[in-house]
Amino acid sequence: MIKIGLTGNFGMGKSTVAELFKKLGAYVISADKIVETLLEEPEVIEEIKKLFGNEVITNGKLNKKYISSIVFENPLMRIYLENILHPRVFEKVDEIVKNIPQRGEPIIVVVEAPIIFERGYQNKFDLIITVFTSEEIALERLEKKGISKEEAFRRLKCQFPIEMKKSKSDYIINNSGTLEETAQQVEAIFQKLIAMERKYAGN
């Protein structure tokens, strides 16, 4: 088994690339989706309420927009929130990985996570892949999804520069072109990972 950390900055196409890996047969785990489920757990809600105050609850549920408005302007509050969520995210990832059926075939696990480098989580993976585009392309794509430039800039400034992430990654995927061009890069990397896993298994 090879466990990959798939990262990149906001709007640059991590989810698109994750889906392409999934189609090729990789086990894909989304950290963001795990967070969504965690934010519905009573214990987690209670911890977040202690951190942000009662105003974080609207109609019995966490007000995610309110939380976002705070954490993307206040780095310390963002770190406190991450400290509540991230240990639980990795516990869940480990649980999912542990339960992947062993079929005698190469197993490639891709964990899609946005802030691997920012929190020093790269050592939790065998290899890191960074997806990138220019900031202009990312902003353009986000705008088409209804995310304002102001909101996008707020999120991007909370992440390390993409060039730094690229320099620290084992593989990089340029998602600036067509879906077919991105798919070709994913396919090439996937085949290398399969060959690598077979080599390790053979040893």
Side-chain angles (χ1 to χ4, degrees), residues 174-186:
N174 186 344
N175 189 38
S176 302
T178 65
L179 183 61
E180 289 74 21
E181 288 168 337
T182 299
Q184 287 173 5
Q185 296 172 72
V186 173

Side-chain angles (χ1 to χ4, degrees), residues 30-52 56-68 71-72 77-78 80-86 88-89 92 155:
S30 167
D32 285 345
K33 286 181 181 175
I34 293 174
V35 167
E36 282 177 25
T37 62
L38 287 173
L39 293 176
E40 294 177 4
E41 292 184 4
E43 181 188 327
V44 174
I45 291 171
E46 193 56 36
E47 283 196 46
I48 292 174
K49 192 166 79 170
K50 284 177 185 174
L51 178 60
F52 291 96
V56 80
I57 305 294
T58 305
N59 298 324
K61 291 187 176 182
L62 287 173
N63 186 330
K64 295 174 189 175
K65 282 190 176 179
Y66 175 78
I67 294 171
S68 294
V71 299
F72 288 116
M77 291 298 280
R78 189 174 70 252
Y80 287 151
L81 178 63
E82 289 169 359
N83 288 345
I84 291 170
L85 296 171
H86 289 186
R88 291 175 167 92
V89 169
K92 186 64 177 172
R155 294 184 178 229

